[in-house]
Amino acid sequence: MNQMIKNTQEASMKMESTSRAAKPAPEELVPSRYAVRIGEIEVLVVSDGVLPLPTEMLGHNADPAARTAWLGEMFLPQDAFDWALNVVVVRSGAQTILIDAGLGLDPDLNLPRAGQLMKRLAAAGIDLASVTDVVLTHMHMDHVGGLLVDGVKEQLNPDLRIHVAAAEVKFWESPDFSHAVMPQGFPDALRAAAKRFVKDYQTHLRLFEDEYEVAPGVVVSRTGGHTPGHSVVRVASGNDRLMFAGDAVFAVGFDHPDWHNGFEHDPEEAARVRVRLLKELAATGELLVATHMPFPSVGHVAVDGDAFRWVPVFWDY
Ligand SMILES: [Zn+2]
């Protein structure tokens, strides 16, 4: 009897260890992708993770007391604030378009919670080789860095087209940081990443001046402001519309559209662009997605007196 129990115990232990070995790694406990359908076009928001930054970055021209008050009203910490990092995959017709590429890895900047994109694209069943086009809203490292991760370029389609405004590539030849206010180490890291990106992907670059239709219903338009070549992507099919606004709009920008974000190279123009886009979004009622809005960053914009209001969509499962 005892022997029988022992055998059964051993057998069940063996089974357990076998099934444990065969089990796939547990999924992450937070969702990292969210799908939206715009008419015939599929849009998938994928999170690259979060980027903690000093709260002065939210508005370096703001009265510190007003900044403190806004953080308090939003139940956010006063010292460092986690910026979301959203990337979008669009499928239109036969094309698979990656809009921006996340941060990648930069051990010197100590941002271990970002740079998750490649892993999360794989988890979403998106094979890098299937990407036909990349659209860059601009060439800051948190938008191009994913393509600089070791081994990524080798997995990409050799005919991959990377669309970016000509003004953006020109800007990074000799970038002006005199109006930006960034944490130490960032300007050098951004310069180095942009430089390396152009060097590594030179033959893939497809430059546009003001506007370019990447695929049916997918149009990239240069806005300038954040950087001279900063662009937004408009997706339209049937009666549905969505704008991916890159870094033209931040979470604080609804209450305080005139606050200058530390990463803006022309902050006054960036504020004008922000207000113009938010007014357009409020007027058309189309969906907004932006890089640094809290994941999944899918919502509508309403006018609220002199400012705006962010109205996240109810999640649709
Ligand atoms: Zn950014």
Side-chain angles (χ1 to χ4, degrees):
M1 185 67 184
N2 281 349
Q3 189 56 41
M4 240 179 85
I5 290 172
K6 196 164 170 256
N7 286 348
T8 316
Q9 274 175 347
E10 268 171 18
S12 80
M13 273 168 73
K14 246 182 221 158
M15 256 177 69
E16 222 177 70
S17 63
T18 319
S19 67
R20 216 178 267 157
K23 241 193 228 166
E27 274 202 44
E28 293 183 282
L29 294 177
V30 291
S32 62
R33 57 186 186 266
Y34 185 81
V36 192
R37 183 168 270 280
I38 300 296
E40 297 291 307
I41 302 175
E42 291 170 39
V43 176
L44 185 70
V45 182
V46 183
S47 167
D48 186 51
V50 293
L51 196 61
L53 289 168
T55 50
E56 298 85 71
M57 295 297 107
L58 294 172
H60 58 85
N61 62 332
D63 172 5
R67 219 165 42 215
T68 301
W70 186 81
L71 289 164
E73 284 162 16
M74 296 297 284
F75 297 88
L76 291 167
Q78 293 289 339
D79 48 353
F81 167 66
D82 281 347
W83 296 28
L85 253 176
N86 303 306
V87 170
V88 170
V89 180
V90 174
R91 283 202 174 111
S92 173
Q95 284 170 262
T96 297
I97 305 153
L98 182 65
I99 309 179
D100 288 346
L103 179 78
L105 301 164
D106 190 328
D108 295 342
L109 295 177
N110 191 25
L111 301 165
R113 286 188 294 151
Q116 312 287 329
L117 180 67
M118 294 306 157
K119 181 176 82 183
R120 288 173 173 176
L121 283 178
I126 295 165
D127 180 7
L128 278 183
S130 72
V131 175
T132 55
D133 301 82
V134 171
V135 179
L136 298 177
T137 61
H138 61 299
M139 283 167 45
H140 276 159
M141 183 179 50
D142 53 325
H143 301 253
V144 302
L147 297 178
L148 300 176
V149 173
D150 283 350
V152 165
K153 193 179 175 202
E154 291 69 21
Q155 295 174 55
L156 291 165
N157 181 339
D159 298 325
L160 176 74
R161 298 171 291 255
I162 303 180
H163 309 277
V164 58
E168 187 67 10
V169 175
K170 179 100 191 97
F171 173 71
W172 288 99
E173 287 171 9
S174 173
D176 176 8
F177 280 75
S178 62
H179 303 287
V181 180
M182 299 183 191
Q184 215 187 352
F186 274 73
D188 285 347
L190 295 183
R191 270 190 207 98
K195 201 171 177 181
R196 204 187 126 200
F197 180 78
V198 171
K199 185 169 156 276
D200 287 7
Y201 286 97
Q202 187 80 62
T203 59
H204 296 272
L205 298 183
R206 302 289 180 272
L207 307 185
F208 62 89
E209 293 299 325
D210 293 315
E211 197 161 278
Y212 181 71
E213 187 169 22
V214 177
V218 184
V219 176
V220 58
S221 314
R222 187 171 71 87
T223 64
H226 187 74
T227 58
H230 181 276
S231 301
V232 299
V233 182
R234 289 182 177 84
V235 178
S237 174
N239 293 321
D240 298 340
R241 300 273 181 280
L242 177 146
M243 182 195 291
F244 181 70
D247 283 13
V249 179
F250 300 95
V252 72
F254 296 88
D255 291 331
H256 300 288
D258 54 338
W259 282 11
H260 294 170
N261 179 279
F263 288 86
E264 291 166 344
H265 293 261
D266 183 347
E268 288 182 1
E269 179 61 8
R272 284 191 287 271
V273 168
R274 179 156 47 248
V275 170
R276 179 160 54 77
L277 293 178
L278 289 173
K279 280 185 177 163
E280 178 191 329
L281 288 156
T284 61
E286 71 198 273
L287 289 171
L288 165 67
V289 176
T291 308
H292 301 296
M293 297 281 298
F295 178 83
S297 168
V298 181
H300 294 280
V301 179
V303 173
D304 187 6
D306 290 340
F308 299 90
R309 194 158 47 86
W310 168 239
V311 187
V313 293
F314 286 25
W315 281 38
D316 186 6
Y317 294 90

